[in-house]
Amino acid sequence: MFKEFAVDPNVIASSFETCRFFISQFGADKGRLISRFPKDWKRRAIEAADELPDGLKKERVVEYLSSLGKDWLTLVASNRIYPEPGNTWLSNAITAHSQKPFAAIICDRDDSKLGLINADTCDPREPLFSAKTTGKVDRTAYQLASAAAPVLQNCRKLRFADPYFNPGRPKWRNGLAAMLSCIPDPTKVDCEYHIYEREDSPATHELKRRLKDLGDVIPDGGQIRIIRWKQVEGGERLHRRYILSENAGLYYEGGLDIEEEAKQSTDIYLLNQEHHAERWNEYDLNATVYQLVTPVLEVDSQGRVNELDP
């Protein structure tokens, strides 16, 4: 779903028009993400902007670059070595691309064989730069998790939402295990799973028994809060399935469980910022779209289940 691009920090900061165009083309809702290549990419871009003539346009460029990644997922960790600090950025990007390809490299020249796109002539219709906001993936643990990997790898708050989640069945646990394995440090991520409380849902004591099985899939040090909701009479139906972070979101049409043997697929959609904010807020414990069921349950990597006051 997502494409990671290497973007020359000197090029994106070369003019107000260039900066504004590329900022508008990147983000979790666009399917394009900027690689932090190297780790201090943002600082380099802002320093490059300092070379622009003083004035409002320079201030706007610095403002654009400074805001990157603050509220919406746009910059992602590269997980690539910056080969030779003394070499030019482009030379290092080409070397890194040959070892672990980017979607493309945005720079000051064209060379499709090397994966280079000239920023001056870049167009969303350019094959190397094109991206999709919807797609179809197989309902395997790997595919479901891979579609959301940049979100899972770059979040501090995470909300899974699938009304039919059943921790007692492997098809749910295995899918969750693959998604949680994408998180670099589970001790730094506040994780929740939102489910639907129906008339035939297990009682709290039975759900606690089933949740113990999640100890086998939660990484060491990690915890997940299980939050149950009832439908408010005449209100919204709790039916949709999402992976939501504080700065990005994906809608899974077919659910977050896997169907390895059945060879099924699911459609996935990237949420824009407004849509994301609406759905994110619906799952806040103080929200009134649904009726919260207490207690909230928390399970850790040892399979210990605790009851929490909301």
Side-chain angles (χ1 to χ4, degrees):
M1 290 294 296
F2 294 101
K3 288 187 173 183
E4 179 187 356
F5 292 81
V7 181
D8 190 328
N10 291 295
V11 168
I12 197 172
S14 61
S15 72
F16 170 72
E17 291 74 19
T18 298
C19 184
R20 180 173 61 176
F21 170 75
F22 281 106
I23 295 298
S24 72
Q25 295 300 309
F26 284 96
D29 53 333
K30 306 293 195 309
R32 301 186 192 91
L33 300 169
I34 298 175
S35 179
R36 288 186 184 270
F37 181 80
K39 290 182 179 179
D40 63 348
W41 181 92
K42 187 173 179 178
R43 177 185 64 79
R44 289 183 179 220
I46 293 173
E47 288 180 352
D50 284 339
E51 302 300 318
L52 294 172
D54 289 338
L56 180 59
K57 287 190 174 182
K58 175 180 178 178
E59 293 176 4
R60 293 293 303 278
V61 169
V62 173
E63 181 182 331
Y64 276 140
L65 295 172
S66 298
S67 66
L68 276 177
K70 285 188 175 180
D71 299 315
W72 192 242
L73 184 62
T74 305
L75 291 172
V76 292
S78 177
N79 299 317
R80 295 174 179 81
I81 296 174
Y82 194 68
E84 297 291 341
N87 286 357
T88 65
W89 179 91
L90 181 56
S91 174
N92 281 323
I94 291 172
T95 299
H97 180 67
S98 68
Q99 299 167 350
K100 183 181 178 181
F102 298 101
I105 300 171
I106 310 298
C107 57
D108 58 1
R109 61 189 177 98
D110 271 314
D111 190 328
S112 59
K113 291 182 179 179
L114 293 177
L116 309 184
I117 300 176
N118 191 320
D120 289 339
T121 58
C122 183
D123 186 286
R125 294 167 295 184
E126 159 72 40
L128 283 178
F129 194 62
S130 64
K132 298 190 299 182
T133 58
T134 65
K136 183 185 78 169
V137 301
D138 292 335
R139 289 181 65 184
T140 66
Y142 174 78
Q143 291 291 340
L144 294 183
S146 294
V151 175
L152 299 168
Q153 293 165 355
N154 294 273
C155 68
R156 287 293 176 264
K157 296 181 179 180
L158 183 61
R159 292 174 177 171
F160 297 103
D162 194 320
Y164 304 109
F165 176 68
N166 183 345
R169 301 188 63 183
K171 72 173 188 173
W172 296 103
R173 292 199 306 273
N174 294 343
L176 180 60
M179 294 169 190
L180 295 177
S181 70
C182 294
I183 300 174
D185 186 350
T187 66
K188 295 182 179 179
V189 178
D190 184 49
C191 187
E192 302 173 348
Y193 210 122
H194 295 257
I195 64 177
Y196 182 30
E197 180 80 358
R198 305 182 303 276
E199 290 185 1
D200 60 348
S201 293
T204 297
H205 70 275
E206 172 59 18
L207 179 58
K208 289 174 66 175
R209 185 188 68 79
R210 297 181 189 182
L211 287 173
K212 293 178 180 179
D213 290 339
L214 293 186
D216 294 333
V217 304
I218 298 174
D220 289 345
Q223 297 175 326
I224 300 180
R225 288 190 299 279
I226 307 299
I227 300 171
R228 296 170 288 172
W229 300 96
K230 286 184 178 180
Q231 183 176 348
V232 175
E233 185 175 355
E236 281 272 16
R237 181 186 178 198
L238 189 70
H239 181 70
R240 294 169 287 269
R241 290 90 161 193
Y242 298 105
I243 293 179
L244 303 169
S245 74
E246 76 276 18
N247 56 12
L250 301 94
Y251 169 65
Y252 284 69
E253 170 270 333
L256 302 182
D257 58 320
I258 65 174
E259 294 289 352
E260 301 276 5
E261 301 300 325
K263 300 186 182 302
Q264 295 180 3
S265 63
T266 181
D267 290 339
I268 299 178
Y269 304 81
L270 304 183
L271 304 187
N272 62 37
Q273 294 189 51
E274 182 179 357
H275 193 178
H276 166 271
E278 181 179 4
R279 295 309 186 197
W280 176 262
N281 291 333
E282 283 182 2
Y283 295 106
D284 188 270
L285 289 181
N286 296 316
T288 58
V289 176
Y290 310 110
Q291 179 184 344
L292 179 66
V293 177
T294 56
V296 170
L297 303 176
E298 183 179 75
V299 56
D300 65 17
S301 56
Q302 303 301 312
R304 294 173 295 218
V305 183
N306 295 310
E307 297 186 5
L308 305 177
D309 292 327

